[in-house]
Amino acid sequence: MLRAGTNQAIREVTMKGLYWKQNSSGEETNFVFLEKENLPVVKDNYVKVQVKACALSRIDTKLLSEIKMEKEFLPVGREVAGVVLEIGNKVSSFQPHDEVVGILPLDSEESGLSEDILIHEHYLAQKPEKISWIESAGTLRDGVRAYTALHYLSYVSTGKTVLVMNGASPFGTIAIQLAQHRGAKVISTVYSPEDKQYLERLTPSVGVKQPLVARIIDESNGKYDLTESCLEETGGLGVDIILDAGVRLHRKEDNATSQQLLPHKHDIITLLSVGGHWITMEENLQLDPPDSRRLFLKGATVSFLNDEVWNLSNMQQGKYLYILSSHLYSLFALTMLSHTHFGRYNGKVIKWCFQPFGKPLLDEPIPLYEAKVSMEMVQKNQARKKQVVQL
């Protein structure tokens, strides 16, 4: 009787989903487990997936408010990896038992922290066979972001110099690896000695002692000037591509350490080479006429890296699907595998031969019953490593 009761309790927990509940004041948020309703019949282009792992990412409440998607309960957990259980009658890309990864759309009613979910096939891609569920889900969003920044918002290639701010972050690690693989020279900033040691241990391939990052600038001790260090490393020519992790808009910011370590927007513009690309995550960036003048003289560009850009326009669905199905697939192989890998795209067998660079910052797998506490940390930007729930 005890064994049966225990199994039933476990089943009840796994059938729940995690949701974000906003208070009427709009100031405080909390996360709750809610019983999940039975899934409807699988039809058309939808796929039923048994979730094996789900990564946690911060909810952009401001964006949801702007696109009129405020709800009393919002599903939590969108980056999922799992096994296809059933397919609709119009599904052409997958078969039952296929291993898949995907990011649930913004308007999805499904919580990725559920045992089974329904998702449109255009939001899914084949999971590389040799990649674990945790690594697949944990690298999904940052892989899309890095590829978007380096291939759609800029044009990384051999001979270019790329500056990655906060390179030891989950996103920074993947961006560094992707840029180095494309032949670029990578410079990175770090905010602690531990982050510096982490990047120093990364190497381009097995048996090669050459560091992955050409120069690491530790901004935690105040000994290095970002502008001088980058200009010295590039012979005064400047950096071709800059991926920031936020910038200071004014010389005198608040006393928060995280703000003090961020570069000023004038420093970023000074670092840019002729024809350079500045990809920023600062959504409130303000450029004064002198700033615009300097960018004009350099023929430089400023682009905004929005995590949800592919989900906000149906006209871009083809590009998004292409990233998930092909390039992000190869990115997984690039970062994780040390042997030849075979995958499938549009019914054709594709071969990749990559060497591993090292794994991104993933925390230990989290059991489902700890997802609520972990999501609270993620929402408050208190989680340094990527949090992934194992179901």
Side-chain angles (χ1 to χ4, degrees), residues 193-221:
E194 293 76 17
D195 288 349
K196 182 179 180 181
Q197 294 175 2
Y198 171 77
L199 289 186
E200 288 175 341
R201 289 194 298 266
L202 298 180
T203 54
S205 59
V206 175
V208 178
K209 301 300 181 181
Q210 175 187 357
L212 182 65
V213 183
R215 183 162 185 170
I216 302 175
I217 304 172
D218 185 359
E219 297 192 304
S220 63
N221 52 26

Side-chain angles (χ1 to χ4, degrees), residues 227-240:
T227 304
E228 292 182 0
S229 299
C230 290
L231 292 179
E232 177 185 354
E233 190 66 33
T234 59
L237 298 177
V239 178
D240 298 304

Side-chain angles (χ1 to χ4, degrees), residues 167-181:
S169 65
F171 165 72
T173 304
I174 292 182
I176 288 173
Q177 297 174 62
L178 185 58
Q180 205 277 347
H181 173 68

